Amino acid sequence: DEEFDELCFEFGLELDEITSEKDIISKEKGEEKAKGASDVVLYKIDVPANRYDLLCLEGLVRGLQVFTERINLPRYEKIIPAEGEGQRLIITEQTTQIRPHAVAAVLRNITFTKDRYDSFIDLQEKLHQNICRKRALVAIGTHDLDTISGPFTFTAKAPSEIKFKPLNQSKEYTASQIMDLYRTDSHLRHYLHLIENKPRYPVIYDSNGVVLSMPPIINGDHTKISLNTRNVFIECTGTDITKAKIVLDIIVTMFSEYCEKPFTVEAAEVVYPNGKTHIYPELAYRTEKVKPEYINKKVGISETPSSLAKLLTRMCLKSHVTGNGNHIEIEIPPTRADIIHACDIVEDAAIAYGYNNIQMVIPKTYTIANQLPLNKLTELLRLDLAAAGFTEALTFALCSQEDIADKLGMDISATNAVRIANPKTAEFQVARTTLLPGLLKTIAANRKMPLPLKLFEISDVVVKDPTTDIGARNYRHLCAIYYNKSPGFEIIHGLLDRVMQLLEVPPNEENGYTIKAAEGTAFFPGRCAEVFAKGQSIGKLGVVHPDVITKFELTMPCSALEINIEPFV
């Protein structure tokens, strides 16, 4: 297991966990449900989303064997049958409005076993979820060719005109009935919306009118593949021709391994509504040229051109050095649709070299980070406020309009609040302009706790500011609250003095801080003071108004302090 984990890591994959069906069920549903489940060891492997060729056992094993140099990369061939003998798929113009593209191919004389068959179905499912975007872009159909006779027609008809026996069902249904039938199906109901409201549904017939499939929903039961199937007809229909070609290439390259002549695929001809024809699968090989020094520089290594070519060959990109070692010529196989640019080739060279083998160097640019002074001050204050016996609370940065306006006895227009254009809930309508409501709500939620409750929060508030480029500005506020049977104004006042002592601001008018009597809608008349420091007003403290206390569903008196700490940075 450890060796395999190591190999996966070197190949750029992650062995997520080693488990079994029994373990998975017992974790999710408990021991009881897991009885009788299989104990066979399962490897859960994380594959990057761009590597469609590793989504099945066949491709993964092939990739790892080439990587460990046990085998050479196979050459995929398409065999074009003699004139008039090959399969044809004719696309009619009715499909243009709904799923205009189709590609097809045949796997001849294939031998299925239970495991190969499961892997074949599983690969289709993974491709459907991933590159096919839940069948919206491409839908794959695989059929037993010996049960049908070509040429095949891909057309679109009114739902009432389509009638066939869907996969694993016992009787025939019309397309409309099929939609109703699968509306409750946990697996298929997610795809119904793709064609549900269209006037015509896509459908594929053979020359005798047998329905192969109604993409992207379900195949017909008539063409069902079994373990005895010898010849497989594969069709991919979709709205994106590039993705359809990739999907077809992946399926045929992965499973042509089991054909009588391994790695060969029989081509099929697709006839377009305008009469043009095209042979699929394309199985296109192409070559790219990359300079060795480009790879070395980007990865930060100094390998010879021939060893770079060898590294790339191990990653299924057959390479050789050309032109006196000035270039590496790379052949990109049809399985590697993810190679779009030279940087993709560089990445593969780095994986094969081994990320852990690249020497660490200090970057040439000076990138040593520092903590933002405002955050450093915030952290220091948090520790000392906690040491003063207050408990830190963290509340939401968004709140309702009532919290910052009506409940505090203010008008919403006076708050300068930033609104959310399309709030999902009434609780998250505006960005907070004061921290007080959040702490009052926290106390309301903790009324059962023993008194006194002493809470604080140091966080950002947001207000509109037309002078900034985004039209709003953040301020770092400190808010503290004391909730008990008596208001405890002296405790909050004491906390303010302690904060100022820590900030080394003396209690005088010239270069220190003072407090002056003031009025605030949230505070009790005559019990509110404004705090001045550094020649500006930085906030208020006082006994909270009884109306505010009842609006937040509280029953005891409380006093609060809220100041802006940015002037002290």
Side-chain angles (χ1 to χ4, degrees):
D1 286 348
E2 278 173 15
E3 282 179 60
F4 185 67
D5 187 10
E6 195 59 33
L7 175 63
C8 282
F9 181 78
E10 284 171 14
F11 190 54
L13 305 174
E14 188 183 350
L15 180 59
D16 206 19
E17 62 172 325
I18 299 169
T19 176
S20 68
E21 227 170 79
K22 194 169 190 173
D23 286 353
I24 295 172
I25 297 174
S26 69
K27 256 186 207 162
E28 288 177 2
K29 300 178 181 168
E31 300 268 326
E32 281 301 306
K33 292 263 166 63
K35 278 184 184 157
S38 144
D39 275 340
V40 179
V41 174
L42 295 179
Y43 285 167
K44 244 187 184 174
I45 300 170
D46 267 354
V47 176
N50 58 341
R51 290 295 300 269
Y52 314 116
D53 55 317
L54 304 178
L55 284 177
C56 64
L57 186 69
E58 288 71 18
L60 186 62
V61 168
R62 204 177 301 161
L64 288 169
Q65 283 186 318
V66 173
F67 182 68
T68 51
E69 299 179 86
R70 291 186 185 181
I71 60 168
N72 290 327
L73 182 68
R75 180 100 196 163
Y76 306 106
E77 278 180 70
K78 68 173 164 194
I79 295 171
I80 296 176
E83 188 66 39
E85 285 185 17
Q87 299 301 333
R88 280 164 65 219
L89 176 62
I90 300 158
I91 306 178
T92 67
E93 56 196 17
Q94 281 86 353
T95 59
T96 46
Q97 298 304 313
I98 177 159
R99 277 182 108 73
H101 305 292
V103 296
V106 176
L107 291 175
R108 279 273 170 210
N109 298 322
I110 192 166
T111 310
F112 277 121
T113 60
K114 175 86 177 76
D115 288 341
R116 292 173 184 183
Y117 175 80
D118 290 346
S119 175
F120 187 57
I121 301 301
D122 195 43
L123 172 65
Q124 292 175 49
E125 201 37 58
K126 287 201 171 73
L127 290 169
H128 273 151
Q129 293 309 315
N130 182 344
I131 179 174
C132 304
R133 291 285 176 275
K134 301 204 164 89
R135 303 194 191 180
L137 302 181
V138 187
I140 309 159
T142 52
H143 312 279
D144 186 336
L145 185 58
D146 301 323
T147 61
I148 42 184
S149 57
F152 306 101
T153 312
F154 174 40
T155 183
K157 287 188 164 186
S160 53
E161 292 174 28
I162 303 171
K163 190 171 189 188
F164 67 102
K165 186 161 124 189
L167 193 60
N168 301 332
Q169 295 292 336
S170 50
K171 59 176 197 169
E172 290 197 349
Y173 295 90
T174 65
S176 325
Q177 290 168 330
I178 289 172
M179 289 301 211
D180 295 334
L181 178 69
Y182 291 126
R183 216 173 293 288
T184 53
D185 186 290
S186 62
H187 176 59
L188 291 175
R189 63 176 182 188
H190 305 296
Y191 309 120
L192 301 183
H193 69 93
L194 295 171
I195 59 169
E196 199 165 21
N197 301 322
K198 304 277 193 292
R200 292 164 173 268
Y201 289 179
V203 60
I204 301 175
Y205 291 102
D206 81 343
S207 56
N208 302 324
V210 174
V211 171
L212 276 69
S213 69
M214 182 173 85
I217 311 298
I218 188 89
N219 286 352
D221 193 66
H222 184 88
T223 60
K224 185 168 146 183
I225 292 180
S226 67
L227 296 184
N228 306 324
T229 300
R230 298 288 290 145
N231 300 303
V232 179
F233 179 66
I234 303 166
E235 40 83 8
C236 301
T237 61
T239 51
D240 181 327
I241 185 69
T242 313
K243 298 270 195 298
K245 288 181 198 172
I246 293 172
V247 168
L248 185 67
D249 278 350
I250 294 292
I251 292 178
V252 297
T253 50
M254 293 302 114
F255 286 90
S256 53
E257 181 177 338
Y258 302 133
C259 292
E260 199 169 24
K261 283 190 194 158
F263 307 114
T264 61
V265 185
E266 182 183 308
E269 185 179 42
V270 172
V271 185
Y272 291 102
N274 61 9
K276 284 187 180 158
T277 65
H278 200 298
I279 302 287
Y280 290 106
E282 288 192 342
L283 287 189
Y285 282 87
R286 69 175 212 273
T287 54
E288 294 279 347
K289 278 188 177 173
V290 177
K291 288 188 170 165
E293 55 267 27
Y294 176 77
I295 299 179
N296 279 330
K297 187 179 168 202
K298 291 282 181 215
V299 181
I301 53 179
S302 49
E303 291 290 291
T304 61
S306 58
S307 76
L308 285 173
K310 195 176 169 198
L311 289 177
L312 288 167
T313 303
R314 285 175 56 204
M315 295 299 288
C316 300
L317 300 172
K318 204 170 160 195
S319 310
H320 59 272
V321 183
T322 60
N324 308 332
N326 295 339
H327 281 93
I328 298 176
E329 198 169 274
I330 299 133
E331 183 180 57
I332 292 153
T335 47
R336 293 299 304 273
D338 59 299
I339 304 282
I340 299 168
H341 181 274
C343 65
D344 297 310
I345 295 168
V346 174
E347 182 191 12
D348 271 12
I351 291 172
Y353 185 81
Y355 281 5
N356 287 350
N357 302 327
I358 300 171
Q359 287 293 311
M360 285 192 187
V361 289
I362 290 178
K364 290 188 174 63
T365 44
Y366 180 77
T367 57
I368 294 165
N370 250 339
Q371 195 175 10
L372 205 63
L374 179 61
N375 288 346
K376 192 168 181 181
L377 174 67
T378 302
E379 290 299 324
L380 291 169
L381 279 171
R382 279 178 177 149
L383 281 171
D384 278 304
L385 284 170
F390 281 72
T391 305
E392 183 170 21
L394 279 173
T395 60
F396 290 119
L398 297 178
C399 57
S400 68
Q401 292 191 14
E402 285 184 346
D403 290 343
I404 56 166
D406 309 356
K407 288 185 181 177
L408 298 181
M410 281 173 76
D411 187 54
I412 187 73
S413 56
T415 59
N416 254 349
V418 176
R419 293 171 188 239
I420 306 293
N422 51 344
K424 282 274 181 285
T425 68
E427 282 299 294
F428 297 150
Q429 293 169 326
V430 290
R432 60 183 172 191
T433 54
T434 157
L435 301 177
L436 188 60
L439 288 183
L440 288 167
K441 281 175 13 188
T442 307
I443 290 180
N446 290 282
R447 281 175 303 204
K448 292 194 175 71
M449 302 301 269
L451 295 174
L453 286 175
K454 297 153 83 176
L455 300 183
F456 79 92
E457 177 171 15
I458 308 181
S459 292
D460 279 0
V461 298
V462 186
V463 289
K464 281 189 194 157
D465 181 351
T467 61
T468 63
D469 53 349
I470 54 166
R473 189 186 286 277
N474 287 20
Y475 291 104
R476 185 69 50 92
H477 274 201
L478 177 160
C479 183
I481 199 161
Y482 176 82
Y483 179 75
N484 202 355
K485 292 184 172 126
S486 65
F489 180 80
E490 64 286 354
I491 289 172
I492 286 294
H493 190 173
L495 183 74
L496 172 69
D497 290 348
R498 172 67 181 145
V499 169
M500 290 300 165
Q501 186 186 1
L502 291 164
L503 293 170
E504 294 181 352
V505 181
N508 61 39
E509 279 203 26
E510 283 78 56
N511 53 358
Y513 76 101
T514 53
I515 59 173
K516 293 181 182 158
E519 292 301 321
T521 52
F523 295 101
F524 200 81
R527 294 287 172 87
C528 167
E530 197 162 359
V531 186
F532 291 89
K534 308 246 170 171
Q536 65 191 73
S537 163
I538 57 162
K540 288 191 171 126
L541 78 158
V543 178
V544 179
H545 200 292
D547 289 353
V548 175
I549 292 175
T550 38
K551 280 179 185 160
F552 281 98
E553 298 169 18
L554 299 175
T555 49
M556 304 275 178
C558 80
S559 49
L561 153 76
E562 180 160 4
I563 57 169
N564 176 9
I565 62 166
E566 290 191 10
F568 304 106
V569 174

